[in-house]
Amino acid sequence: MTKLNIVKPSLKFKYALDPPPSKVVYLVQHHMAHKTWGIHEVHDFHKNSRGWNGIGYNWWIGFDGTIYEGRGFHYGAGVNGHNHDSFHIGYQGDFTQQQMTDAQIASGIALNAWLLGKYPSAKIVGHEELASTACPGRYFRMDELKQGLSRKGADNVKQDSEKVNVIVNGKQIKDGKLENGVTYVPLRAVGDALGAKIGWNKGTKTATLDTKV
Ligand SMILES: [Zn+2]
């Protein structure tokens, strides 16, 4: 499991943030369409020039890959008509003219993977797929993001069930596996290796392993 480090900048919103959207259909990727602005400038711009509560994005990813919390899991502002069913991820830069950094794409994969873990049916889209806009720009590495996410899914499955060797009293136990840090082996195999008595009570669905003769 990826451990995400999300920085919480001290952003002052005009009023209390709204509850989360009732459903999350889309994870919308945006660029800021500005070559240098960081999260504080974007927050000021959305708040003071746009007249919003504050930064519209739920999360923000800087050039160096740092992930910041914007509105977090609260109702965001990113696409008219799709704020009730989306979370918005803003990336520093103008990807109609600038390249996205490797650190940004790596963090984008990590953040979206984490969100997909919470909202498995959500769809990864660029802003342009929901509205008429150039956002997130032609240099946004959407293919890499999607490939990275499917690879991550495959890695997780692999990690979920890894074959391991389990030896009891010098005897190799068949079918040992490791899942999320827990080793699983067939109880009967362990019992046999220990010379123990195995019992199964159908009615109460209770397995017993008894070494007392
Ligand atoms: Zn956008």
Side-chain angles (χ1 to χ4, degrees), residues 29-31 57 78 127 133 135:
Q29 319 295 309
H30 299 264
H31 72 157
Y57 306 126
H127 185 175
T133 171
C135 178

Side-chain angles (χ1 to χ4, degrees), residues 8 11 39 80 129 138 151:
K8 287 190 184 180
L11 302 174
I39 185 162
N80 258 336
E129 292 171 69
R138 64 193 162 126
R151 233 188 341 264

Side-chain angles (χ1 to χ4, degrees), residues 63-126:
F63 288 138
D64 66 357
T66 304
I67 302 171
Y68 297 90
E69 186 178 284
R71 296 199 188 190
F73 288 98
H74 301 276
Y75 208 95
V79 183
N80 258 336
H82 278 292
N83 293 324
H84 69 286
D85 63 4
S86 301
F87 280 135
H88 303 282
I89 299 160
Y91 296 74
Q92 187 176 19
D94 179 348
F95 304 138
T96 62
Q97 315 176 52
Q98 262 170 312
Q99 297 294 330
M100 205 177 174
T101 68
D102 291 343
Q104 276 182 309
I105 191 70
S107 293
I109 291 168
L111 177 62
N112 282 284
W114 180 65
L115 292 169
L116 283 174
K118 298 177 190 296
Y119 307 95
S121 59
K123 203 172 166 236
I124 305 288
V125 293

